[in-house]
Amino acid sequence: MTPAATGALTVRAGGAGDLGPVVALHARARAAYDRARHPGDAPGPDTHRPAADRDWRHALAGPDARMLCAERDGTVVGAACHGPAAAPGTVTLHQLQVDPAHWGTGVGHALHTACLRAWRAAGHTAATLDVVWHNRRARAFYTARGWRPDPSRGAAPDATHIGLALLLDDGARRPDARPDARSGGRNR
């Protein structure tokens, strides 16, 4: 376990005061992802901060949007934002971001599980999200938790994202189950 993962992890409802730390961790995550994908050629977090701020403000703009924050030792280390989709009974996961210092420490899993609990408690029967198609780490994270390509949704106009869907029933495979290490599932 990395030093970043030593404190207790809690997930709580997020508020307006969390936006600054969440935007900063999203910018760091995007910069780390770009460094891994394009070594030596990637911009730093400061370059990504305006886009991260825009993305979170847009995700939280809906009247029913909700944010969850994962904290370790009083520091926000991950966040998720979700809100109702156009289809009845469906919720959309707008964002799920984890600070790169906490990748692989269970933060993503804890946020995802908290989202599932909230969605089920609200009576949602399905969830959707868009994921960047070339982000293998994110796609593996969601696939390990039961998300599948959504054939009812077309490709994004810019062909950079794919739509995923998750049924929220209590079927044989619980999507909030932690992936078995032998299956190759990894935490985001």
Side-chain angles (χ1 to χ4, degrees), residues 162-185:
I162 59 171
L164 300 178
L166 177 68
L167 294 179
L168 299 174
D169 64 6
D170 287 326
R173 181 177 179 329
R174 294 281 307 216
D176 56 344
R178 191 172 194 109
D180 185 324
R182 294 177 306 248
S183 72

Side-chain angles (χ1 to χ4, degrees), residues 24-177:
L25 79 83
H26 181 170
R28 287 190 302 274
R30 179 61 195 266
Y33 167 75
D34 284 350
R35 276 192 307 276
R37 188 161 184 252
H38 307 287
D41 199 23
D46 291 339
T47 303
H48 291 296
R49 194 172 178 108
D53 184 72
R54 180 196 66 234
D55 290 350
W56 279 92
R57 289 185 189 280
H58 178 74
L60 291 166
D64 296 325
R66 301 286 182 260
M67 179 168 52
L68 297 173
C69 291
E71 279 188 335
R72 199 170 256 145
D73 297 326
T75 300
V76 176
V77 295
C81 179
H82 58 89
T90 303
V91 64
T92 297
L93 178 60
H94 299 292
Q95 294 282 340
L96 193 155
Q97 297 290 334
V98 175
D99 191 302
H102 296 265
W103 285 354
T105 66
V107 174
H109 177 75
L111 282 167
H112 189 264
T113 299
C115 285
L116 290 174
R117 287 183 184 135
W119 299 341
R120 287 182 178 123
H124 296 295
T125 57
T128 62
L129 68 85
D130 288 328
V131 65
V132 177
W133 70 267
H134 56 72
N135 188 338
R136 290 185 185 126
R137 181 184 189 94
R139 287 187 7 232
F141 175 86
Y142 292 116
T143 298
R145 284 154 181 82
W147 293 81
R148 299 293 177 254
D150 185 351
S152 70
R153 298 168 57 209
D158 59 3
T160 60
H161 293 76
I162 59 171
L164 300 178
L166 177 68
L167 294 179
L168 299 174
D169 64 6
D170 287 326
R173 181 177 179 329
R174 294 281 307 216
D176 56 344

